Amino acid sequence: MRHIFITGGVCSGLGKGITAAALGRLLKQRGIKVSAQKLDPYMNVDPGTMSPFQHGEVFVTDDGAETDLDLGHYERFMDESLSKHSTLTSGQVYSRVLAKERAGGYLGGTVQVIPHVTEEIKNFIYNYKTDVDVLITEIGGTIGDIESQPFLEAIRQIGLEKEKECLFIHVTLVPYLKASGEHKSKPTQHSVKELRALGITPDIIVTRADEPISDDVKTKIALFSNIKCNCVIENITLPSLYETPLMLNEEGFDDVVCEKLNLSASKPDLSEWRNMIALSKQVNSRNITLNVAIVGKYVSCRDAYLSIVESLNHAGFASGAKVNIIWVDSENMQLDSAIFGGVDAIVVPGGFGDRGITGKIFACKFARENKIPFLGICLGMQVAVIEFALNVCNLIGADSAEFTESTPHPIIHTMPGQENLLGSGGTMRLGAYPCNLTDGSLLRKLYGLPQISERHRHRYELNNSYREILTTNGMLISGNSPDNTLAEAIELQNHPYFVGVQYHPEFKSRPNKPHPLFLGLLEKAINH
Ligand code: GLN
């Protein structure tokens, strides 16, 4: 297994994750078995307990790991399902080291960052699934951060232990100064200097800028970083991030990576990817724009709904429609139908806690009554069921136990078997579970399959005692766990597209393989 380590310089939010994901796709298209992992320096055990306002979406893998949203980029670009082997935080590293210490695992030794913490990190990297040729490891944070030092020290050691099989890529910002009309290489020079002080010499520098940088600046960066000019790869801001692999390929990125890692592989076959990009561009020229409202509590942090936005874009590429997202803050919205004027589809995404629930219920009611194509995801499905119970089944006070424990109608309640689970970290129903689709349902038709597998992240469930009243009033339970104990999906029968799912379809959509539920939503929205 060869290793590619990706670090970031100058500032955060540079798109290191996209660079890693795009490189992964390029290598995959060259026939190389590749995978990716993200090492995050923060002390949380996983991002599951972090607020989406601060950290954006929590991405969930098939095996139930709650991860950084960069894993979503890796999966979408590389079209590979990742696992808990692709995510490590300082919190996990320290938990493992401390558990080992308490169990006497260090045989009386003084437990230290070097070698014990670094050893734990190295083992995590070395013990990746063995069937890959190349493992891309992205280090979160920016060079110079205190938190990331053990990770950098660990990869430095791997660089020494597996000298010929390692490659260090440093992604940095090259700012443009309007006043002097030029790009500045100095921040990159300083960042590289800092990296070298930690014992890591970058082999390739990826420069992030909004506009192309001049050859002079590239040459300067190469000179000061002690690398050849063809190892300075430009990564400029593009209209669509899915164009990144093509741009990086034209820059010779994958060529130089293969050359440096001594990988003999044919040129990448990017025809499918190019077709997808062509489709996405046609969308702009075809002039069908769909206004899709996302009604959620975390809309001030767009990254909180990243996979949903991407899923809508993927479905847009395939259905020929440009998606225009209308962000509706469920907490502060006016409960007035005018807010949905001109809206072609409504998505109520997942979430936690009772803030903004009234707005979400209003959105569900509006979509139901006005026959607007609707997709409720996780909490979105739960709220759609509550709204239906309140306004169609006349169950006064119907609510979720999450919001009102004393509700007379706990239409959504704690998951059977999880009543006694305390604590908030990793205690939900997480990861992929099978779901049987009901014959004759819209879902069965959309998926074209009797059984599907989708990823979950929730604690509450539809209360089975209310199934009958819901169904006699026109709600169809269109998906169930194989033992029929858990309702996984609902739909309304007298509506063109009113779908709620307890799982998260957005984690499985790919740019060239849109998810059937998002595609179905947009297709109905086009007709609407
Ligand atoms: N808060 C709800 C639950 O725990 C929904 C979770 C979600 O939307 N991901 O069941």
Side-chain angles (χ1 to χ4, degrees), residues 109-324:
T110 307
V111 182
Q112 294 177 299
V113 172
I114 306 172
H116 303 104
V117 168
T118 47
E119 214 49 50
E120 196 64 40
I121 299 170
K122 276 159 55 184
N123 287 340
F124 180 82
I125 298 170
Y126 282 145
N127 292 334
Y128 197 75
K129 288 181 286 178
T130 46
D131 61 342
V132 294
D133 304 322
V134 174
L135 178 61
I136 300 174
T137 303
E138 177 189 347
I139 315 294
T142 308
I143 295 305
D145 295 347
I146 289 177
E147 295 91 337
S148 51
Q149 297 218 355
F151 289 102
L152 297 167
E153 169 58 16
I155 64 170
R156 179 195 72 76
Q157 292 176 23
I158 293 181
L160 193 67
E161 287 165 22
K162 298 187 78 182
E163 206 184 338
K164 298 244 154 44
E165 289 134 22
C166 287
L167 191 70
F168 291 91
I169 298 176
H170 193 48
V171 184
T172 74
L173 177 76
V174 179
Y176 180 78
L177 283 195
K178 253 195 199 160
S180 50
E182 56 184 356
H183 281 104
K184 290 293 185 188
S185 66
K186 193 72 80 190
T188 299
Q189 292 178 37
H190 280 290
S191 183
V192 170
K193 202 168 145 199
E194 188 116 14
L195 193 58
R196 287 165 127 195
L198 296 165
I200 296 171
T201 306
D203 298 292
I204 295 173
I205 308 258
V206 175
T207 56
R208 279 284 297 115
D210 287 335
E211 303 290 339
I213 57 175
S214 70
D215 284 346
D216 282 355
V217 175
K218 278 190 183 177
T219 311
K220 206 165 165 188
I221 291 173
L223 182 67
F224 279 91
S225 310
N226 198 31
I227 57 175
K228 290 196 183 137
C229 278
N230 69 337
C231 295
V232 177
I233 304 290
E234 189 165 74
N235 180 351
I236 58 169
T237 309
L238 296 170
S240 156
L241 41 96
Y242 296 115
E243 291 177 44
T244 311
L246 302 181
M247 169 186 60
L248 293 177
N249 170 254
E250 272 159 34
E251 279 282 297
F253 191 30
D254 46 313
D255 280 340
V256 78
V257 165
C258 288
E259 183 196 309
K260 294 220 159 259
L261 278 177
N262 225 347
L263 283 164
S264 51
S266 52
K267 291 277 176 199
D269 174 5
L270 295 170
S271 44
E272 198 195 353
W273 200 266
R274 282 188 212 284
N275 288 344
M276 182 266 294
I277 297 292
L279 270 181
S280 73
K281 290 198 165 146
Q282 273 170 29
V283 159
N284 290 329
S285 57
R286 278 185 57 192
N287 250 347
I288 307 176
T289 298
L290 293 175
N291 293 321
V292 181
I294 297 185
V295 186
K297 178 170 73 170
Y298 314 113
V299 293
S300 58
C301 175
R302 303 284 153 91
D303 273 356
Y305 302 114
L306 185 66
S307 291
I308 293 182
V309 172
E310 289 309 317
S311 302
L312 288 167
N313 286 332
H314 305 161
F317 303 161
S319 61
K322 186 174 172 159
V323 175
N324 177 38

